[in-house]
Amino acid sequence: MALRHAVLAALLDGEYSGYQLAKAFDIGVANFWHALPQQLYAELAKLEKDGLVAGRQVVQETRPNKRLFRVTAAGRAELENFAAAASKPSFIRDDLLVKVQTADRIGTASVIEQLEERASAADAKIELLGALLRQLRGDADEEEFLLDGERIGPYLTCLRGLAFEGEHRDWCRRIAAVLKERLAIRAER
Amino acid sequence: MALRHAVLAALLDGEYSGYQLAKAFDIGVANFWHALPQQLYAELAKLEKDGLVAGRQVVQETRPNKRLFRVTAAGRAELENFAAAASKPSFIRDDLLVKVQTADRIGTASVIEQLEERASAADAKIELLGALLRQLRGDADEEEFLLDGERIGPYLTCLRGLAFEGEHRDWCRRIAAVLKERLAIRAER
DNA sequence: GCATCATACTCAACAATCTGATTAGTCAGA
DNA sequence: TCTGACTAATCAGATTGTTGAGTATGATGC
């Protein structure tokens, strides 16, 4: 019952279709939850059945029709209960880390490559998030926005995403360098 | 098929029973994968059936008997394939982040509390990981150990865990402070 | 002397997530 | 004009992960 709340939280900013939500889950929302479109459509259907969101049909000429959803009063109440309940600790779950655990013995060269790819991907994500943050805070500087801004929730979660990506990138680059250096030392001997 | 490889990677350091493995998944291995004991026992059974690990019974006097597992040649080959394959990007999935997304509107006070609890939990984890790292590298300093050490895989993943916890803690404290400050400002008005 | 913790593991039921395919019209570029 | 990408969604099936309970013995603490 957690995707449920992630969807409600994302929908708090306005009316979105399943498709738009899927996009959001690829960028901003991805900072706190990840889900595939199929899951979102399924979850929206359940949320509507339970009366936590309300959908309305929008007929379009040049595009397929779509359904826009918004959070109902019951949905807001559900979020309140959720916010008050205890949350389970977060944890990392990453294929690449599993590989690094074995990288001093198994598949070193390939892992180095993947670390560098990851670091580049993180660079791209960092730029994207930086742009998103600038957009969210408008003209204000960060301090000011955080204290006076209307809607800072998405900004705060983006900050987390940004920090995560930055640190992930640094770690990838450092570990790639260490593994390379070790390969070089062992080649010399 | 990812827990599979996490178990193989963890088992690379020696022979472990399901129970010991469960402990490892609570501390060091938790830096790259999380799993409950039930899953581990089930996965070990599957791995043994597939010939990727081999188990042997150890009869104990004062404790229940146990089965110790080690990675077979086929298991090592499986890890090699895994290391060479592409890995999917990692992502955060965190209840608390979902709450922060809504925290400027919903459940602010409770979320502040939870952020502070998380920060304290992260402090504890950081100390634990620090100790684990010191233990892994023995007398050597980090630079030296990373270049000359025998088995640095677990050390590298712990470094990631440490960085993650540190940054998580900083973010939690900062966000808690921001939310508090906003409450105070709004109370004044 | 009783409660609780640690070792060691198992089973069943359920919920959540992922994989992969399918439909169908529009629009931009080679 | 063909190709591929974008909008908008749905379906079935498989895999993974969680919840919760249960078994049995020895050790430790109050």
Side-chain angles (χ1 to χ4, degrees):
Chain A
M1 295 291 192
L3 172 57
R4 201 178 187 71
H5 301 108
V7 169
L8 285 173
L11 232 38
L12 214 55
D13 285 314
E15 264 187 335
Y16 294 103
S17 68
Y19 189 80
Q20 290 173 293
L21 215 46
K23 303 243 134 169
F25 268 77
D26 240 38
I27 317 169
V29 183
N31 290 310
F32 57 92
W33 209 267
H34 157 89
L36 297 167
Q38 295 96 308
Q39 274 177 278
L40 297 177
Y41 286 112
E43 198 61 49
L44 282 170
K46 268 194 249 168
L47 283 166
E48 191 178 24
K49 202 194 71 197
D50 296 346
L52 304 183
V53 306
R56 66 184 179 91
Q57 179 91 9
V58 173
V59 178
Q60 296 185 117
E61 298 283 284
T62 87
R63 296 269 159 225
N65 296 340
K66 61 182 174 184
R67 305 200 65 217
L68 293 181
F69 296 90
R70 59 180 182 74
V71 180
T72 63
R76 208 161 280 116
E78 173 70 22
L79 272 177
E80 250 159 84
N81 289 338
F82 175 67
S87 31
K88 35 191 102 153
S90 73
F91 40 80
I92 299 180
R93 211 169 227 179
D94 188 340
D95 274 5
L96 186 51
L97 282 256
V98 176
K99 294 178 189 178
V100 167
Q101 174 88 1
T102 74
D104 51 359
R105 297 188 179 175
I106 288 173
T108 311
S110 163
V111 173
I112 291 172
E113 254 179 66
Q114 291 177 52
L115 284 164
E116 282 165 353
E117 275 164 38
R118 271 289 181 88
S120 300
D123 276 333
K125 192 82 195 277
I126 286 167
E127 262 194 60
L128 197 80
L129 287 175
L132 187 53
L133 287 170
R134 277 191 298 281
Q135 192 201 308
L136 283 171
R137 74 171 173 262
D139 295 329
D141 79 339
E142 189 165 273
E143 274 299 295
E144 191 189 320
F145 173 72
L146 286 180
L147 293 180
D148 299 333
E150 269 295 291
R151 181 84 178 99
I152 61 162
Y155 195 91
L156 297 175
T157 53
C158 275
L159 279 180
R160 182 72 187 91
L162 187 65
F164 177 82
E165 293 294 337
E167 180 218 87
H168 187 45
R169 176 194 57 185
D170 294 346
W171 179 84
C172 284
R173 294 239 156 88
R174 180 168 179 216
I175 301 316
V178 165
L179 290 174
K180 267 189 197 166
E181 181 89 19
R182 284 172 65 96
L183 279 185
I185 288 173
R186 272 143 193 79
E188 268 172 43
R189 289 181 188 160
Chain B
M1 296 293 190
L3 173 57
R4 200 178 187 70
H5 301 109
V7 169
L8 285 173
L11 232 39
L12 215 54
D13 285 316
E15 266 188 333
Y16 294 102
S17 68
Y19 189 79
Q20 288 173 295
L21 215 47
K23 302 244 132 166
F25 269 76
D26 240 38
I27 317 168
V29 183
N31 290 309
F32 57 93
W33 210 266
H34 158 88
L36 298 167
Q38 293 97 309
Q39 267 178 284
L40 296 177
Y41 286 112
E43 198 61 49
L44 282 170
K46 268 194 248 167
L47 283 165
E48 192 178 23
K49 203 193 70 198
D50 296 344
L52 304 183
V53 305
R56 64 183 180 91
Q57 179 91 8
V58 173
V59 178
Q60 296 185 117
E61 298 283 284
T62 85
R63 297 266 160 227
N65 297 339
K66 62 183 172 182
R67 305 200 66 218
L68 294 182
F69 295 89
R70 60 181 181 73
V71 180
T72 63
R76 209 160 280 117
E78 173 70 23
L79 273 177
E80 251 159 81
N81 289 338
F82 175 67
S87 31
K88 36 191 100 154
S90 74
F91 41 79
I92 299 180
R93 210 168 230 178
D94 189 338
D95 274 3
L96 186 50
L97 280 259
V98 176
K99 293 177 189 178
V100 167
Q101 173 88 0
T102 74
D104 51 358
R105 296 187 179 173
I106 289 172
T108 311
S110 163
V111 173
I112 291 172
E113 253 179 69
Q114 291 176 51
L115 284 164
E116 281 166 353
E117 275 163 38
R118 272 288 181 88
S120 299
D123 277 333
K125 192 83 194 277
I126 286 166
E127 261 195 61
L128 198 79
L129 288 174
L132 187 53
L133 286 170
R134 277 192 298 281
Q135 194 201 306
L136 284 171
R137 75 172 173 261
D139 295 329
D141 79 339
E142 191 166 271
E143 274 299 298
E144 192 190 319
F145 173 72
L146 286 180
L147 293 180
D148 299 331
E150 269 295 291
R151 182 85 178 97
I152 61 162
Y155 195 90
L156 298 175
T157 53
C158 273
L159 279 180
R160 182 72 187 91
L162 187 65
F164 177 82
E165 293 295 337
E167 180 217 86
H168 186 46
R169 177 195 55 188
D170 294 347
W171 179 84
C172 283
R173 293 239 157 88
R174 181 170 179 215
I175 302 317
V178 166
L179 291 173
K180 266 189 199 167
E181 182 90 21
R182 284 170 67 95
L183 278 184
I185 288 170
R186 272 144 193 79
E188 267 172 42
R189 286 178 190 161

